[in-house]
Amino acid sequence: MADKTSSVDLVLDALGGTGRYQMFQYFVCMFSALSASFQLLNIVFVGRDVAHTCKAPVNTSDIYLITDNELIQANDSKISFEKCNIRVEANISGNISTSKLSCIYGYEYMEGKDTSLMSDMDIVCDKEHLQGFAQTLLITGQGIGAFVLPTFSDRYGRRPLHFVSHLCFLGFGVGVAFAPTYTVFLVLRVVLGFLQQLSGLLTSMIWTVCNAFIALIAYLMQTYSWRTTQLVYCSVSLYVFVEFFLLDESLSWLITNNKTKQVTKNLKKAARMSGKDCHTVLNVYKKIQKQHESEKSLTESLLGSKDQGVNGKTETVKEKDKTKPSFLDLMKRKRLAANVFVLWFVWITDSLTVFGLFMTSYSLVGSPHVNFVLYSLLEAPAAIALYFTVDRYGRKKTSVALHGIAGVALLAATVCKFVGEGSLWSPIAVTVFSFIGMFGASGAWGTACLFTPEMFPTNLRNFGLGTSSAFSRVGGMLAPFSSLLAEYVEWAPGTIFGVCCLLATVLVNVLPETMGRELPQTVDDVEAWHKKTDDKEAKEMDTFPMARPKGPMEC
């Protein structure tokens, strides 16, 4: 029985495969990715850390009235306004007495108070731990949206949800720019993450270009308030008003939901744009319609009947559905459960590493804007390398190699930072190794996106990819705190990223290779892969036994 997806393929083939209409619709939708990517990573610049010290009072002598040490008040003393403390030192009888005060008069920012969200709302010093939540809550909103929004999209169509999400994205993006408090800002970030699930189409190359534009805009707007910069970032959502006149509903959704009138209208438009004969295309669709109607009547007759079992017992279709594989079937089998946990760890590691490197781009030598652009552009060669290796050397070897490159490079960057501290070569070496690490991590993440769905049987394929994607958000939620961790333990972020990548290199070897194999239909198919791999390895061991030390009498 032909499914609706194959029917859509037949219609698209009649339109010339990737014809002008299809490409036009793709590019119209592609530009909406700017909205999604801008709000995802603009916090690197909008919420950047601005150098500051404690603000001095109008009358410096007021500080002596606050100190609880009378001897300091009675002697000449030295007052230092540090990053998070006011230090008062006095020489009392040859001994240095020190008193520390918090920044009770506020903060003095080197670049102006409104250049960053964190400086504007004084999210520094004792509130510094709250900085990471700006990104973490956005990722949390993404997770909620991933569970909720697809249901509405399936019911009401892709186009209406796409437009509504863009309009809301625009409205809440403007709301973020005028957030009066940090709490309001965080709540709005959750909503933006929620809406982001339907606001754009993100692929490797589009992601690369969009991220590069984030840094370009930040560079051009670096003398303006963060609120103005946020308005510029969310202004790209105005593109929704252009899309309204250009973007059509998904043919797949229209055919699946039997929207005959709208399908006919869109196919006429598509045939005219692609230079195809309108009647030929419509005839293909009419044949598909008739086939679906006959299949529907056949299905209804089958559902109304009962199948006779082997033992003479009746078995309804509903009872047969109970034999479909479930997630618990995977967990009951050790090798398959290991596959699932390894994939989840890989997705967490790749997300943590990629987002963590973006979040710490300010710590590298040189312009943070240039570093961010280079990080973004490195994902293009990673995608190209992935394209030429996965079908030649296999998913498994490609994943091992890219995770290994990322792990070694990031650990090397950490070592160079401390071995060469204070030298001229150290910052350059750290930057180069960090770029190599980003190349490996982004390529490894792309491999995981390809590898993961091939590891699950048909009925669990979407579930497997969905849960893996959900676990990647755990890494995304932890990544913003890497810059805060670096404030206290400078070597920790790079070490964590590197060790996790190297651990992923080892764990990926647990997975079977999927290159050149048909996608598994059942849980038994996946388990059979492991058995074939084990048998092959055993045969190789028999054919090429491991070398052993020779005895004195052996030649």
Side-chain angles (χ1 to χ4, degrees):
M1 194 178 290
D3 58 18
K4 304 261 181 168
T5 303
S6 61
S7 301
V8 175
D9 291 337
L10 291 173
V11 173
L12 292 177
D13 288 340
L15 288 170
T18 54
R20 287 194 293 270
Y21 173 78
Q22 294 93 308
M23 295 303 296
F24 177 76
Q25 290 294 310
Y26 173 78
F27 282 108
V28 167
C29 192
M30 181 188 71
F31 285 110
S32 64
L34 290 169
S35 293
S37 62
F38 279 8
Q39 298 301 325
L40 180 61
L41 284 173
N42 70 343
I43 194 66
V44 174
F45 298 103
V46 171
R48 63 192 176 88
D49 195 19
V50 178
H52 64 275
T53 61
C54 290
K55 190 174 183 178
V58 177
N59 189 355
T60 307
S61 61
D62 291 344
I63 296 175
Y64 298 123
L65 302 177
I66 300 173
T67 58
D68 54 2
N69 192 327
E70 295 181 355
L71 293 176
I72 288 180
Q73 297 177 27
N75 291 270
D76 291 334
S77 58
K78 177 183 177 182
I79 301 175
S80 302
F81 297 94
E82 300 176 344
K83 183 177 180 180
C84 294
N85 294 291
I86 299 175
R87 180 189 293 269
V88 184
E89 295 180 343
N91 189 337
I92 302 173
S93 302
N95 296 319
I96 302 297
S97 179
T98 303
S99 180
K100 285 187 177 181
L101 302 173
S102 61
C103 298
I104 53 178
Y105 301 103
Y107 302 92
E108 190 73 35
Y109 294 96
M110 303 298 105
E111 301 177 38
K113 186 175 174 62
D114 65 348
T115 54
S116 167
L117 163 73
M118 302 307 170
S119 58
D120 191 26
M121 299 186 179
D122 291 332
I123 311 299
V124 294
C125 295
D126 57 331
K127 295 181 181 178
E128 191 174 24
H129 63 282
L130 299 175
Q131 292 182 3
F133 286 102
Q135 184 69 8
T136 297
L137 292 179
L138 179 80
I139 304 294
T140 302
Q142 282 185 340
I144 299 171
F147 280 104
V148 176
L149 292 179
T151 303
F152 291 96
S153 179
D154 290 338
R155 183 171 183 178
Y156 300 107
R158 278 58 166 156
R159 188 173 182 268
L161 263 292
H162 183 81
F163 291 151
V164 170
S165 65
H166 260 292
L167 288 172
C168 293
F169 216 65
L170 176 61
F172 284 102
V174 173
V176 164
F178 293 99
T181 65
Y182 193 57
T183 302
V184 174
F185 176 87
L186 293 179
V187 171
L188 293 175
R189 290 281 288 181
V190 175
V191 178
L192 284 177
F194 178 84
L195 296 168
Q196 194 179 44
Q197 290 305 111
L198 291 175
S199 62
L201 173 68
L202 291 176
T203 63
S204 296
M205 293 301 178
I206 298 172
W207 167 263
T208 298
V209 173
C210 291
N211 284 349
F213 272 108
I214 292 175
L216 176 61
I217 291 173
Y219 176 77
L220 296 174
M221 300 294 295
Q222 58 185 323
T223 58
Y224 292 85
S225 164
W226 73 269
R227 298 181 186 274
T228 305
T229 306
Q230 169 63 21
L231 288 174
V232 173
Y233 281 127
C234 69
S235 66
V236 295
S237 293
L238 290 169
Y239 176 67
V240 67
F241 296 107
V242 177
E243 280 188 309
F244 182 81
F245 297 100
L246 300 178
L247 187 64
D248 294 334
E249 180 58 85
S250 162
L251 271 177
S252 176
W253 185 87
L254 290 173
I255 292 175
T256 301
N257 290 274
N258 298 317
K259 305 292 184 181
T260 306
K261 186 177 180 180
Q262 189 62 45
V263 171
T264 304
K265 180 181 177 182
N266 287 4
L267 287 180
K268 288 180 179 179
K269 174 182 176 182
R272 185 171 60 255
M273 185 177 292
S274 298
K276 300 295 179 180
D277 182 63
C278 179
H279 297 292
T280 302
V281 175
L282 290 176
N283 285 336
V284 172
Y285 173 60
K286 288 176 182 178
K287 289 179 181 179
I288 293 170
Q289 259 190 318
K290 291 178 180 179
Q291 185 179 1
H292 285 167
E293 288 174 0
S294 62
E295 289 176 352
K296 183 179 179 181
S297 61
L298 177 61
T299 302
E300 288 174 351
S301 62
L302 289 174
L303 288 173
S305 62
K306 294 182 178 180
D307 295 324
Q308 189 68 25
V310 176
N311 299 324
K313 296 180 180 180
T314 58
E315 184 180 23
T316 64
V317 175
K318 186 175 181 180
E319 288 171 339
K320 282 187 175 182
D321 287 343
K322 294 180 181 178
T323 62
K324 289 182 179 179
S326 67
F327 181 69
L328 291 178
D329 293 328
L330 290 176
M331 294 295 101
K332 290 175 183 176
R333 310 189 190 197
K334 292 182 180 179
R335 294 294 294 269
L336 304 189
N339 290 353
V340 175
F341 290 123
V342 168
L343 288 171
W344 286 350
F345 178 79
V346 166
W347 279 75
I348 292 174
T349 296
D350 295 341
S351 175
L352 174 66
T353 305
V354 169
F355 282 115
L357 289 173
F358 272 119
M359 294 296 168
T360 56
S361 58
Y362 261 88
S363 64
L364 300 178
V365 66
S367 167
H369 302 91
V370 173
N371 292 334
F372 192 95
V373 169
L374 291 176
Y375 266 156
S376 303
L377 296 180
L378 278 169
E379 299 194 38
I384 295 172
L386 175 64
Y387 177 81
F388 286 105
T389 56
V390 288
D391 288 328
R392 183 172 183 178
Y393 301 106
R395 284 75 162 135
K396 191 172 173 179
K397 289 181 180 179
T398 301
S399 181
V400 168
L402 290 171
H403 278 114
I405 290 172
V408 171
L410 294 173
L411 288 178
T414 304
V415 171
C416 289
K417 180 177 286 188
F418 288 93
V419 171
E421 188 173 4
S423 64
L424 293 176
W425 62 267
S426 176
I428 298 174
V430 169
T431 300
V432 171
F433 280 121
S434 295
F435 287 157
I436 296 173
M438 174 60 86
F439 168 84
S442 59
W445 199 354
T447 307
C449 293
L450 179 66
F451 201 4
T452 300
E454 297 177 344
M455 290 296 304
F456 290 89
T458 301
N459 289 331
L460 294 175
R461 193 160 293 132
N462 285 339
F463 178 83
L465 184 59
T467 54
S468 299
S469 178
F471 271 89
S472 75
R473 290 185 172 89
V474 175
M477 286 188 280
L478 295 175
F481 296 98
S482 56
S483 56
L484 178 62
L485 178 62
E487 292 283 332
Y488 298 94
V489 188
E490 195 173 358
W491 52 266
T495 303
I496 293 172
F497 301 156
V499 169
C500 285
C501 286
L502 290 180
L503 185 56
T505 300
V506 176
L507 293 177
V508 166
N509 287 286
V510 172
L511 305 175
E513 179 56 69
T514 61
M515 182 182 69
R517 289 174 168 171
E518 291 185 7
L519 293 178
Q521 302 299 315
T522 65
V523 175
D524 291 331
D525 291 344
V526 182
E527 194 166 39
W529 286 356
H530 282 291
K531 291 180 180 179
K532 288 180 181 178
T533 303
D534 292 343
D535 291 343
K536 183 179 178 181
E537 290 177 354
K539 187 176 181 180
E540 288 176 351
M541 290 294 291
D542 292 336
T543 307
F544 305 103
M546 291 181 65
R548 58 183 176 83
K550 294 183 178 181
M553 300 300 294
E554 294 180 297
C555 57

